[in-house]
Amino acid sequence: MSEHRRKMPPQQPPTGGRAAARRAAQQPVGRRSAPAHDVGTGAPSASYGPASSPGEEQRPYGGRAEARRAAQRGTRRRGAEAGPGGPGDPGGGRRGGGGGRGSGPGRGSGGRPPGKKRIIDYPRYGKYGWRRWMPSWKLVTGTFLFFTASLMGAAAIAYSQVDIPNEALTAKSQNNIYYWSDKTRMVATGSGTNRQIVPFEKIPKSMQNAVISAENKTFWDDSGIDPMGIGRAVWNMAKGGETQGGSTITQQYVKNNRLDDQSQTLSRKVKELFISMKVGGEVDKPEILAGYLNTAYYGRGAYGVQAAARAYFNVDAEKLNPSQSALLAAVLKGATYYDPAGYPEIDSEATPEKNTVRATERWSWILDEMQKDGHLPAAERAKYTTFPKVEKPRKSANLSGQIGYLVTTAKANIKAQFGITEQDLERGGYEIYTTFEKKKVDALEDSVTKILKEYIDPKKRPETDTNVQFGGASVDTATGKIVALYGGVDATKHFRSNADNTGAQVGSTFKPFVLASAMRDGVRDKSLGEVQDASSRTLVDPDKSRYSGKNELKIRKYNGEIWHNEKGEEWLQTNDDDASYKDMTLRRAMVKSANSPYVQLGMDIGIDKVRKAAIDAGLRPDSLVGGEVPSFSLGISSPSAIRMAGAYATFANEGKQNDPYSVEAVKKEGVVIHQHKTETKNPFSPAVANNVTDVLRSVVDDDEGTGRKARIPGREVAGKTGTTDGNKSAWFVGYTPQLSTAIDMYRFDDDETKKNREFQKMYGTGDQPQIHGSSFPSRIWQDYMTDAVESYPVKSFPEPDKLEGAEAVFGGGAASPTPTPTATPTPTETSATPTTAAPTTTPPPTTTPPPTTRTPKPGKTTCGVWGWGCTEDPGDPGGNTGEPTTTPPTTDTPTGTGTPTDDGNGPGGGNGKPGNGNLVP
C-alpha cells in the first residue's frame, strides 16, 4: 500500500474539549501555548494554531474572563497588522475582518478604519454608515467661526479701502430730450433739477421729526445701517425677488446723494452698505439728515424739502407746520401713490381719489407717531384733524399746449413698457423717441379749438358752457402707434390729460364689443346652465337675427327668467326719447343705436363674455365696471380715448390686436437701451372683425345712421356714436383702414379741492338743446380725420367673409318666422313665465337688411357738415331715433315705469350712466 493511501490514525480531541480549542484559537499569534501533551500517552494535542515560539512561557488560562481579555488584545493587534480589509468589509470587520476571521493580505481586520486622524475629521474617523458623513459639532462650530472671521476680515479690509464719494459728482442733472416720430426735437425737459439746498437750521423741527418718526426712529443713535434690513434686501436680490431700498435715513442719504449708480443690484447694495457705515461713523447726524431732506424726491419734479414745500403748499420750507410736514413725509414713501393729485396715467390705482385716501391714512399715522415719540404734544396733535390743502401740480412753461400731455403720455409709456422709474427720469440723460406726428397733433388741436371758439362761451352761458372738456386720441391701426392726442386746452392750466382715463363713460360706442362677442362666442342655450362651452352656443348672424327694439323692454336672463337686481326689482330697458322700434336686425339696431336689442343680446351672450371681448379688443380690465348687470352692454364703463381708439383699431386690423404705445426707443449716452417690441394677438377672426367693420360702416354710410356726419369724401369710414344717460358725456369713435380716432366730450369741474365732484349735464351746452355723439364729437372727428388721412393712399376695407356656423337668432321677444322653437335664448314676452316662441300667422319679418349706401356720399344730405339748421338731423339721442312705432311691437304691456331707484341709470351704475331704463319693484 502506497504511502499516500495509508489511513491516518484517528485524531484525538484537544485537551480540555471544544471550549479549550476555541480559547486556543483566540489566543494572539505568537503567544499561543505549546502543544500540550496527553498525560497518559505523551502525544501532542490537536491544537489548531501554530506552536509557541521557542522559550515563550506558556500561560494557562485562568478562566473565561481572562480568555476573553486575551482574545480582545489579540484582535486589536491583528487589526493593526492586517492592513486594508478584504472584500467582505473595506474598513475591516468588527469581529476579525471582512473576508474571514483570520488576518492576512486582502482580509479585513476588526476595529476602526485604517489611518490616523486628520485635522479636518471629515468623513469622520471611526464612524460607519450615515454617521461617517454627519459632521461633528466641533467641525460645524469650527467652520462657522472660520467663515465668520473671514467675513469680518474681508469687511474690515473693504471698510478701510472704501472712500466717501464726492457729493458734487451726484448733484449734477441732465435734460431728457423728446423727439417727434420724424426724429426732430420736440422738447427738452428738466433744464436743471428742481432743487434748492437749505441749511439744517432752516429745516423746521416738525419736518425733521416727521421723517424720523415715519422712517427711522433710532436715527440719532444708530450706526447708520440696519443689518437686518440690509440682509433682507441682499437675500431678496440674490434670489431674484423684489428689490428693496435702504432702511435707514443714512442709507437713503447715501443712495440719493453719494451714489451715481442707482441700479438695484447686489454689488451696488453692498457698496451702499460700506459707504453707509463709513458715513455713519464720520459724518455728523445733522449733516446726514439735512442731506437726505435736501436730496429726496417728493414727486412733481421736486427734489428736496424746499422745492417740495413750494410744489405742495407754495410756502418756504422753514414755514411748514407739523401737518404739512407729515404729508411731505408721507409722500416720501412714493409720490406716485401718495401725491393727492394722483398719477392715473401711470397706474389706474393712482387716481386722485385713491391717492388721497392713502395719503390721508399715512399723514394721520405719522402725526400719531410723532406724538408717541414725544415730538408733538397731544394738544397740538389734536389741532390737526383736517387734511392740509394742497396746491395743484404745475408744469413748466416749455410744456404748455399739447406738449405737456404728450410728455406725460410718453413718460407713462416708458414706465409701463420699459420699467424706468419716475426718479430715474427726473435724473435725466435720456433721449426719448416718440410715435407722435406733429402735423396730426396740430390738426387735432385745431379741430377742437374751432368748436371751442365758435360754440362754447362760458361768459355768455356760465350755467351750461363752463367746465366743458374735450379729449381725443389717434392710433395707427396696423401697429398701435399713438400718432396724435388732445389732452385739454393747455397742459400748464388743465393738468390731467383728457386723452387718458377721465371717468367719462363711453355709452353706445361700447356696442360693437357686444356684437363682436355675439359673432365670436354666440348666445347660450336656454335649456342648459349658465356656464356653457362653444358646442352649446349659437353664433349670431347680424343680418338674419332679430331682436325686439321695444321701448321699456323687460330684460330677461338668457334662460327666459326675468332679471332682478339684488333688491328684487325688474329692469325695463328704454330707448332715448322713449322711441320704440319693431323687431330689428342687429345691423339696424346699431345704425339706429337702439338700446333694447343690445342689452338683451348681452344678457343672452353672458356679460362675462362681453367683458372678455372688450378686453381682447384692447380695453384695460380695470377700466370696466364689475358685476353682471344688463346696462354693462350700454357702455357704463369709462375707458380712455387712447384705449377706445386702440380697441376699434383691432377691428380695422382684421382682428389683430396691438396695445397702443407712444415710445419707439430710448437712448442714453447715444446707445439704444430700450426698443419697443410688438406683441400682436389674434383675439378675433378676420370674418368676425370684418363683419363688425361692415356693420359700423352702415352707421356712417346709411342716410339714417347716427354717424353720417363723420363721412370723409373719397374714404371708407366705420364708426359709432355714443351718448350717456343724463347727457353727461358724448363720444364718436371711428376709423379708416389706416387710422382709428376717438373723440369724447363732457363737463367736469377741474377744482380738485371741491368734494363730491360729478359730471355735469350738457343740456344747453354750446347753445344746443342737448349734446350727442353725432354733434360736436363727430364733427371734430370728421374735420381732423379729413386732414390726417390726406397723405395716406386710398384704401378699402376687406369684404366681410361669411360667418361660419352663424345662424338667425330671435331675442327679446322678437317673433320667429317659423312655428318651431328657435335658437333664441329668450322667449316671446307674453307673460312673466318663460315660454318658447309661438307660431305666427303673420308674414315673417324680412331677413334682408335695409339698403345701405356703400359709396360715401358727402354732400348728399341737405345738411352741411357744419350746419345746424338741419331738419333731417335726428339728433342722435344716444343713437336712438327714427321709425318709432305707433303701437307696441309685442304683446307684452309694460307694467308701468315705477320709481327709478337709481336715477334711471341702470343697476350697478353711477353718475352719468347710460342705463336709459327703469327699475320696477
Side-chain angles (χ1 to χ4, degrees):
M1 181 179 296
S2 65
E3 180 90 23
H4 65 274
R5 282 181 171 268
R6 292 178 182 175
K7 185 181 293 186
M8 295 297 294
Q11 192 174 11
Q12 299 294 326
T15 303
R18 295 179 179 176
R22 279 198 304 271
R23 288 195 295 271
Q26 293 170 350
Q27 186 177 9
V29 176
R31 287 195 175 187
R32 291 182 180 173
S33 315
H37 290 75
D38 189 284
V39 177
T41 65
S45 63
S47 173
Y48 293 99
S52 305
S53 300
E56 185 176 356
E57 181 183 358
Q58 294 187 5
R59 295 178 57 188
Y61 293 105
R64 292 183 178 179
E66 185 176 348
R68 273 197 306 272
R69 287 193 294 271
Q72 290 170 353
R73 286 193 297 272
T75 300
R76 286 194 294 271
R77 182 171 299 167
R78 284 196 304 272
E81 295 172 355
D89 183 349
R94 290 188 178 185
R95 299 186 58 177
R101 292 180 178 243
S103 62
R107 293 184 178 181
S109 62
R112 296 176 181 173
K116 59 182 180 179
K117 286 190 176 182
R118 296 156 291 178
I119 295 176
I120 299 177
D121 185 20
Y122 192 82
R124 296 179 65 186
Y125 179 81
K127 300 295 181 181
Y128 306 94
W130 63 269
R131 291 180 178 86
R132 182 173 172 80
W133 303 99
M134 177 65 69
S136 66
W137 68 269
K138 294 180 181 179
L139 180 61
V140 173
T141 304
T143 302
F144 173 76
L145 292 176
F146 173 77
F147 280 108
T148 301
S150 300
L151 186 63
M152 292 178 65
I157 294 173
Y159 182 84
S160 64
Q161 295 294 321
V162 74
D163 293 322
I164 300 176
N166 189 344
E167 180 179 358
L169 295 178
T170 58
K172 63 183 180 181
S173 62
Q174 302 179 60
N175 291 331
N176 289 323
I177 311 297
Y178 291 82
Y179 296 90
W180 295 102
S181 62
D182 61 1
K183 295 182 173 55
T184 58
R185 180 164 166 161
M186 177 197 301
V187 67
T189 64
S191 56
T193 300
N194 181 17
R195 175 191 295 148
Q196 181 180 352
I197 304 299
V198 293
F200 180 75
E201 298 75 19
K202 292 291 186 71
I203 301 175
K205 282 288 185 183
S206 63
M207 187 65 204
Q208 299 175 31
N209 293 329
V211 173
I212 290 173
S213 291
E215 298 190 18
N216 187 188
K217 292 179 182 291
T218 61
F219 168 74
W220 294 111
D221 303 314
D222 63 35
S223 62
I225 64 169
D226 177 4
M228 293 298 293
I230 286 290
R232 287 193 302 270
V234 171
W235 172 250
N236 282 343
M237 284 184 289
K239 68 179 185 179
E242 182 179 357
T243 57
Q244 298 180 0
S247 299
T248 67
I249 287 176
T250 303
Q251 287 172 251
Q252 290 283 30
Y253 164 68
V254 168
K255 175 184 174 183
N256 295 341
N257 204 39
R258 301 284 180 172
L259 289 178
D260 291 312
D261 179 13
Q262 292 299 311
S263 61
Q264 291 285 351
T265 61
L266 182 60
S267 61
R268 193 205 63 81
K269 185 59 67 175
V270 172
K271 183 179 180 181
E272 175 190 311
L273 170 66
F274 288 114
I275 295 177
S276 297
M277 292 169 61
K278 201 146 194 173
V279 167
E282 298 183 11
V283 180
D284 293 337
K285 290 288 187 178
E287 182 180 346
I288 294 173
L289 183 57
Y292 171 58
L293 293 176
N294 277 318
T295 58
Y297 183 62
Y298 296 78
R300 303 191 180 190
Y303 280 89
V305 63
Q306 173 64 20
R310 280 291 177 187
Y312 284 86
F313 306 111
N314 198 27
V315 299
D316 289 327
E318 60 184 336
K319 295 182 179 179
L320 291 170
N321 61 39
S323 177
Q324 295 169 329
S325 298
L327 178 56
L328 292 185
V331 170
L332 285 174
K333 188 172 177 66
T336 299
Y337 298 100
Y338 288 88
D339 182 349
Y343 291 85
E345 68 278 1
I346 297 176
D347 191 336
S348 60
E349 289 298 310
T351 63
E353 296 75 20
K354 292 180 180 179
N355 276 21
T356 299
V357 171
R358 280 189 287 264
T360 301
E361 291 175 353
R362 187 160 178 82
W363 162 80
S364 180
W365 174 80
I366 291 175
L367 288 173
D368 291 340
E369 291 300 302
M370 291 173 68
Q371 180 183 341
K372 290 178 184 178
D373 296 340
H375 301 316
L376 189 65
E380 188 173 5
R381 167 66 184 94
K383 294 191 304 183
Y384 302 118
T385 57
T386 303
F387 192 72
K389 183 178 179 180
V390 178
E391 295 286 315
K392 291 182 180 180
R394 295 184 295 273
K395 291 186 182 292
S396 57
N398 64 334
L399 297 178
S400 61
Q402 299 304 304
I403 298 298
Y405 302 124
L406 301 179
V407 169
T408 298
T409 301
K411 287 172 65 176
N413 190 234
I414 289 171
K415 297 168 191 174
Q417 189 178 184
F418 305 128
I420 299 176
T421 67
E422 172 78 14
Q423 194 163 351
D424 290 337
L425 284 172
E426 290 297 335
R427 291 180 182 275
Y430 295 100
E431 296 176 73
I432 300 160
Y433 293 84
T434 74
T435 61
F436 302 123
E437 298 180 21
K438 187 176 187 305
K439 183 179 179 181
K440 289 183 173 62
V441 171
D442 292 342
L444 182 53
E445 184 177 27
D446 289 344
S447 296
V448 175
T449 302
K450 288 178 185 178
I451 294 293
L452 287 171
K453 288 184 175 180
E454 187 172 355
Y455 295 103
I456 308 302
D457 191 342
K459 295 181 179 179
K460 185 177 181 180
R461 293 179 294 273
E463 296 298 319
T464 60
D465 285 17
T466 54
N467 304 321
V468 173
Q469 304 285 349
F470 287 96
S474 200
V475 173
D476 182 271
T477 59
T479 63
K481 294 179 183 179
I482 306 172
V483 298
L485 58 79
Y486 179 86
V489 291
D490 191 326
T492 62
K493 300 175 182 177
H494 172 73
F495 180 69
R496 187 187 300 186
S497 173
N498 294 343
D500 216 306
N501 192 297
T502 62
Q505 295 167 352
V506 297
S508 292
T509 57
F510 196 82
K511 289 174 182 174
F513 306 122
V514 184
L515 180 61
S517 182
M519 296 178 183
R520 183 187 71 173
D521 305 314
V523 296
R524 291 174 285 185
D525 187 327
K526 67 178 181 179
S527 64
L528 301 178
E530 274 195 53
V531 180
Q532 300 180 18
D533 58 24
S535 63
S536 60
R537 289 174 170 267
T538 302
L539 303 184
V540 178
D541 187 298
D543 292 317
K544 296 178 181 178
S545 301
R546 286 181 173 271
Y547 269 73
S548 173
K550 175 188 174 183
N551 190 51
E552 293 190 342
L553 177 69
K554 187 180 295 184
I555 300 302
R556 298 175 181 270
K557 300 179 182 178
Y558 79 99
N559 60 4
E561 297 176 4
I562 296 175
W563 183 88
H564 295 89
N565 66 4
E566 65 279 0
K567 298 179 181 179
E569 299 165 318
E570 298 177 357
W571 182 248
L572 300 181
Q573 181 58 52
T574 62
N575 298 316
D576 202 85
D577 288 341
D578 293 328
S580 198
Y581 304 91
K582 298 177 180 179
D583 297 346
M584 57 201 317
T585 65
L586 295 176
R587 180 187 297 272
R588 194 65 179 165
M590 187 75 76
V591 168
K592 306 300 273 182
S593 200
N595 293 332
S596 298
Y598 277 93
V599 171
Q600 186 59 64
L601 177 62
M603 297 299 289
D604 293 345
I605 299 167
I607 299 301
D608 60 328
K609 293 290 187 182
V610 174
R611 179 182 286 106
K612 187 176 186 306
I615 294 171
D616 288 346
L619 299 188
R620 291 173 58 97
D622 52 21
S623 70
L624 304 179
V625 300
E628 306 293 310
V629 295
S631 53
F632 180 84
S633 298
L634 290 183
I636 61 177
S637 300
S638 53
S640 67
I642 292 173
R643 284 288 172 170
M644 285 298 288
Y648 272 48
T650 300
F651 299 133
N653 199 27
E654 298 193 76
K656 295 185 287 291
Q657 190 267 334
N658 296 293
D659 281 339
Y661 70 98
S662 58
V663 177
E664 286 282 11
V666 177
K667 289 184 179 181
K668 196 161 191 179
E669 297 179 353
V671 178
V672 176
I673 60 173
H674 295 291
Q675 183 80 44
H676 172 76
K677 295 180 181 179
T678 301
E679 296 180 2
T680 303
K681 303 171 187 174
N682 295 277
F684 303 101
S685 67
V688 169
N690 293 339
N691 272 278
V692 171
T693 295
D694 194 59
V695 171
L696 295 183
R697 284 190 63 194
S698 298
V699 175
V700 177
D701 291 346
D702 195 294
D703 286 342
E704 293 183 340
T706 59
R708 64 186 181 280
K709 292 177 182 175
R711 295 171 183 166
I712 299 175
R715 300 279 178 171
E716 292 186 358
V717 173
K720 184 70 187 77
T721 55
T723 307
T724 60
D725 189 47
N727 206 212
K728 295 178 180 177
S729 64
W731 289 72
F732 185 82
V733 186
Y735 52 94
T736 65
Q738 300 105 322
L739 196 62
S740 176
T741 300
I743 303 293
D744 66 327
M745 176 183 179
Y746 56 92
R747 291 182 64 209
F748 191 77
D749 194 344
D750 266 347
D751 190 352
E752 296 179 359
T753 63
K754 295 182 179 179
K755 295 182 178 180
N756 302 319
R757 292 178 298 159
E758 295 183 348
F759 286 88
Q760 301 167 350
K761 296 180 179 180
M762 294 190 290
Y763 296 114
T765 298
D767 202 25
Q768 304 302 309
Q770 54 184 338
I771 300 299
H772 305 289
S774 64
S775 55
F776 293 134
S778 65
R779 292 166 185 265
I780 292 172
W781 188 97
Q782 194 275 344
D783 187 57
Y784 158 71
M785 286 289 284
T786 299
D787 289 339
V789 301
E790 184 178 10
S791 61
Y792 293 162
V794 176
K795 187 177 179 180
S796 299
F797 289 113
E799 286 297 322
D801 296 328
K802 180 181 179 182
L803 291 165
E804 294 295 333
E807 301 178 13
V809 173
F810 298 85
S816 169
T818 64
T820 56
T822 69
T824 176
T826 51
T828 302
E829 211 168 18
T830 56
S831 66
T833 304
T835 60
T836 58
T840 176
T841 57
T842 59
T846 178
T847 58
T848 303
T852 300
T853 304
R854 271 286 161 255
T855 303
K857 298 179 180 179
K860 179 180 184 299
T861 174
T862 57
C863 305
V865 171
W866 296 97
W868 290 100
C870 179
T871 57
E872 298 177 10
D873 183 9
D876 178 34
N880 306 310
T881 57
E883 284 191 8
T885 58
T886 55
T887 58
T890 68
T891 58
D892 182 44
T893 302
T895 58
T897 59
T899 302
T901 59
D902 63 351
D903 194 27
N905 290 328
N911 176 40
K913 186 167 298 181
N916 284 335
N918 294 317
L919 289 172
V920 181

